[in-house]
Amino acid sequence: DKTSMFPLVRRWCFHTSFRLQKLTGPRLLLCAENNTTWSSLGLRLRRDVCPLSRPPSLKPASVYATQLQAFHTSLPTSKKKKPPESEAESQSSKDSLKDAPKPALYLSLGGLVPFVMAPLAMAIHGTYIPEVAFAQVTYGAATASFLGGMRWGFALPDGSPAKPDWLNLANGIIPPVLAWQALLFKDATLGAVMLVMALGIALHYDVALLPPYPRWFRRLRVWGTVVMVLSLLATAALKLVLE
């Protein structure tokens, strides 16, 4: 039977090759100690006989180790990534005034105090005071001039996103000119209205026309301009009501 003969043949070949390796290899190596020809022949026979001593069903241990390692190695567990923030949430977080540097935030809030105190003091006393109204207009003119000069400071440094061209530098001149014109009016209410125009133009330049400032600064500019404009309009309204 072929099925019963095959294991016997394989076992006979295995034992024969093993005996041949055990008997022939060492003798050839000892006899060829001083003879290069016999030594090369012994090494060749040893090299040819060694593969016969290993049955074809056996594989090197390194092959089995590699296969077992590849079989038992588990895939790396992927860490759960947090879902990315939506664009609206990230934009709203950047727009917050909490991202503003503390000195810029506190100095800006402190700069709004003279605007608010002027109409508040006249409302408390119940009397329109021209000197207080003129002091408010003067302070507003200085603020508008500062906002116009800030545009120059942003455009002049090297590497700035705003170029020091005619448009950027000329737009920085307009708020100071309007502020100077507001100081020439004898009536403080007319000066307050002129300052409202100057502050609105400066805000339009900073938010719409100028290459982007940081988001927190643009937000600070919007809220600061709203407070200044309402304070100036409150002073003009108090004159009409109290007189």
Side-chain angles (χ1 to χ4, degrees):
D1 190 6
K2 294 181 179 180
T3 58
S4 60
M5 289 297 294
F6 180 73
L8 294 175
V9 174
R10 185 175 62 178
R11 188 182 303 174
W12 180 79
C13 293
F14 172 75
H15 288 291
T16 303
S17 60
F18 180 76
R19 291 176 181 177
L20 184 61
Q21 178 188 7
K22 185 176 180 180
L23 297 175
T24 309
R27 289 181 180 180
L28 290 176
L29 291 176
L30 290 176
C31 294
E33 183 175 1
N34 296 323
N35 195 331
T36 56
T37 304
W38 284 102
S39 63
S40 61
L41 179 60
L43 290 175
R44 184 176 300 176
L45 288 175
R46 184 180 181 87
R47 185 180 59 188
D48 295 338
V49 169
C50 286
L52 296 176
S53 64
R54 184 164 57 245
S57 61
L58 297 177
K59 293 182 180 180
S62 60
V63 177
Y64 283 108
T66 304
Q67 292 180 355
L68 290 175
Q69 183 178 5
F71 179 77
H72 290 289
T73 301
S74 60
L75 294 175
T77 56
S78 59
K79 297 182 180 179
K80 295 183 179 179
K81 297 181 179 180
K82 296 182 179 179
E85 293 182 345
S86 62
E87 295 181 358
E89 293 178 355
S90 61
Q91 184 175 3
S92 62
S93 63
K94 292 180 180 179
D95 285 344
S96 176
L97 292 178
K98 296 180 181 180
D99 296 333
K102 299 302 181 183
L105 180 60
Y106 293 153
L107 290 175
S108 298
L109 295 177
L112 297 176
V113 173
F115 282 100
V116 178
M117 289 301 297
L120 183 61
M122 290 187 290
I124 292 174
H125 288 84
T127 305
Y128 176 76
I129 306 174
E131 291 78 7
V132 176
F134 181 75
Q136 184 192 30
V137 171
T138 304
Y139 182 74
T143 304
S145 300
F146 169 76
L147 295 176
M150 185 175 59
R151 192 178 182 89
W152 278 57
F154 184 71
L156 290 180
D158 295 335
S160 174
K163 297 180 180 180
D165 52 11
W166 284 99
L167 180 62
N168 286 326
L169 299 184
N171 288 336
I173 296 297
I174 293 177
V177 171
L178 294 178
W180 168 69
Q181 184 65 34
L183 295 175
L184 297 179
F185 288 108
K186 294 180 180 180
D187 191 355
T189 55
L190 295 177
V193 173
M194 183 64 70
L195 281 178
V196 169
M197 295 175 56
L199 294 173
I201 292 174
L203 179 64
H204 174 67
Y205 287 160
D206 291 342
V207 174
L209 297 183
L210 197 68
Y213 283 121
R215 293 182 182 274
W216 62 264
F217 180 74
R218 289 191 291 175
R219 184 118 182 187
L220 187 62
R221 285 283 291 112
V222 171
W223 285 108
T225 302
V226 169
V227 173
M228 289 186 286
V229 168
L230 292 179
S231 300
L232 292 169
L233 294 179
T235 299
L238 286 174
K239 180 182 179 180
L240 296 176
V241 172
L242 297 178
E243 287 186 349

